[in-house]
Amino acid sequence: MTSEYDYILVGGGLQSGLITLALRHHQPEARVLLIERDSHLCGNHTWSFHPMDVKASASPWVEAAVEVRWPHYRIQLHDFEKRVELNYASISSSHFAKLVGDCFGTSSDSQKSNRLLLQTEVVALTSNKIVTSTGEVYRGRLVVDCRGPSSHQENRFEQCGYQKFWGFEIELKSDWPFTVPTIMDDRIDQADGFRFVYSLPFEARRVLVEDTRFADNPMLDRDECLDQVRRYLAELGIHGWTIVREESGVLPMPISTELMPGATCDGASSTLAGGYTGGWFHAATGYSFPLAVSFAETIATTTPELASQAVQLLSKGHYARSRFARFLNRLLFQLVQPKSRYQIFRRFYRVLPNESISRFYSHQFTPWDAFRIVVGMPPGGLRPVRFASSFFKTTKPSFQVEPKAFETQESNESYSKEFAK
Ligand SMILES: Cc1cc2nc3c(=O)[nH]c(=O)nc-3n(C[C@H](O)[C@H](O)[C@H](O)COP(=O)(O)OP(=O)(O)OC[C@H]3O[C@@H](n4cnc5c(N)ncnc54)[C@H](O)[C@@H]3O)c2cc1C
């Protein structure tokens, strides 16, 4: 069977969903085929982002998808507490899947121009043709490969750390003590890297509480995370809660430069790749949302024939930032002892103004932002010479050869004193 579409989106996750919404906004007449191998779209996630991260032209269709929004959020790193005056927003994958699914109508009234195929695996693809596991062939003016992390081999990065988390959405018998998200609260047991709790109060009595850590290995144990969350809730004086949903993830945080924005799945294919497959994620935060929005907006505001060129331009604009984000991961995972990693985040939230924090998360940071993030007196930052020289290291450094500026009790104390001033 052969079909004709303007766009064929392979994989029904975040990136394809965003492209679908962007196309409906910018090119409502476009003929779109979306193919997902699972029985439902978008997996099981909560996607959060700073609404300021989203560029103005994409705002109307992104804003329409937002499920929960907060006016600001909290950070608690050791004794440092900050209210960050930036909007924060979340979308559950179930809500997002419904919005995306609605663009395709139901199977009975399936619009001729748009088609959604679930439980259909794509086994081969080129820039204008795909083949499914049952041998069907579909043709389109543009194929976009959005197959996500599973399209890459397990060890895709020569060097990386991991952001890993297990989230428990809970219902409480009493109100949650905070009305806004806590993006980091590290006052918990620090075994296995730098570890903190992330919480999103969707309602006063319905909260996602996530045990999160930046660690050197990808192992994640659900029961151990649950114990951590249980202790945290007890510390907050929360008793009487039940788990209503869970989500988990292990996101590689690359140090080496594989999978930069604009990548293709096999490194040589001419098929345009979006989302994780195309390197459209923030290497230093693990967030995909802002870059996936930029990619979707770029695709939807040009023609299928000019899309590759437009994406190439977009990727050039993100190249240096992607390198810097990888440098930050090297700083976090290789230059700093796990027990001192919190200092990097504390410095980040302490020295940067809100606009710079927002630009950082949206992968739009300036060279000056980048400089301010890392350069300063140890232990909170890197001396300029060390900062510059660290860019020229090609081999994996070890804690033994690096000055341990971040790790001593003395440095922690002097940092606290400096902060207390
Ligand atoms: C629990 C969790 C929470 C997260 N929270 C955030 C967050 O708060 N903010 C943020 O920005 N990022 C977050 N991330 C990261 C973000 O979700 C991912 O980076 C993002 O989903 C990548 O989007 P994608 O479309 O490339 O891949 P995915 O969303 O993984 O979608 C890929 C889809 O392709 C399908 N597929 C794969 N192969 C085939 C095939 N051969 N044929 C057909 N279909 C196929 C898969 O089944 C999947 O549905 C989170 C990740 C996890 C795991």
Side-chain angles (χ1 to χ4, degrees), residues 224-421:
E224 196 232 337
C225 296
L226 181 55
D227 274 349
Q228 181 83 279
V229 165
R230 201 175 271 134
R231 283 197 297 274
Y232 182 73
L233 294 174
E235 284 284 321
L236 288 180
I238 306 276
H239 305 284
W241 47 275
T242 45
I243 299 171
V244 292
R245 192 182 67 86
E246 298 183 25
E247 64 179 60
S248 63
V250 178
L251 311 177
M253 300 185 73
I255 293 166
S256 46
T257 53
E258 302 87 350
L259 219 52
M260 300 282 277
T264 50
C265 188
D266 59 8
S269 142
S270 58
T271 313
L272 192 58
Y276 194 89
T277 310
W280 297 99
F281 60 89
H282 194 316
T285 65
Y287 282 49
S288 283
F289 201 88
L291 282 170
V293 166
S294 296
F295 183 88
E297 181 71 2
T298 302
I299 296 286
T301 51
T302 185
T303 62
E305 288 70 27
L306 292 176
S308 288
Q309 222 176 311
V311 167
Q312 220 177 350
L313 261 182
L314 184 70
S315 60
K316 277 192 185 139
H318 284 286
Y319 187 82
R321 294 186 190 106
S322 300
R323 294 287 305 234
F324 180 74
R326 282 156 164 83
F327 163 73
L328 285 182
N329 287 344
R330 199 160 74 75
L331 181 67
L332 183 67
F333 291 104
Q334 295 184 344
L335 302 184
V336 174
Q337 297 281 10
K339 67 179 179 186
S340 301
R341 285 176 186 162
Y342 78 95
Q343 293 186 356
I344 292 182
F345 296 95
R346 192 157 78 164
R347 177 186 159 78
F348 177 87
Y349 283 106
R350 193 170 61 98
V351 304
L352 289 195
N354 291 335
E355 310 75 61
S356 302
I357 293 174
S358 176
R359 279 197 295 269
F360 180 73
Y361 276 102
S362 62
H363 217 259
Q364 294 295 346
F365 49 94
T366 62
W368 177 238
D369 293 333
F371 188 79
R372 288 196 72 183
I373 288 169
V374 287
V375 179
M377 292 302 283
L382 290 172
R383 286 198 170 89
V385 171
R386 191 169 166 228
F387 168 69
S389 65
S390 63
F391 274 108
F392 299 105
K393 288 195 165 49
T394 49
T395 53
K396 182 174 174 173
S398 77
F399 295 132
Q400 278 67 43
V401 297
E402 287 295 319
K404 297 180 180 176
F406 291 79
E407 74 166 341
T408 62
Q409 180 61 27
E410 187 192 336
S411 67
N412 284 345
E413 279 166 6
S414 68
Y415 188 87
S416 302
K417 279 186 206 141
E418 184 197 339
F419 173 66
K421 278 178 196 165

Side-chain angles (χ1 to χ4, degrees), residues 10-16 35-38 40 42-49 88 120-123 146-150 165 198 247-251 274-277 281 286-290:
V10 181
L14 177 65
Q15 182 67 83
S16 285
I35 306 179
E36 165 59 41
R37 68 177 172 193
D38 282 350
H40 66 281
C42 300
N44 173 29
H45 312 271
T46 306
W47 288 301
S48 301
F49 63 102
Y88 200 65
T120 306
E121 178 152 26
V122 170
V123 291
C146 304
R147 287 176 292 167
S150 61
F165 44 89
Y198 169 90
E247 64 179 60
S248 63
V250 178
L251 311 177
Y276 194 89
T277 310
F281 60 89
Y287 282 49
S288 283
F289 201 88

Side-chain angles (χ1 to χ4, degrees), residues 73-85:
Y73 59 83
R74 301 175 58 245
I75 295 291
Q76 178 82 54
L77 292 163
H78 282 46
D79 54 348
F80 173 62
E81 187 180 2
K82 181 170 178 180
R83 172 176 152 141
V84 181
E85 296 293 345

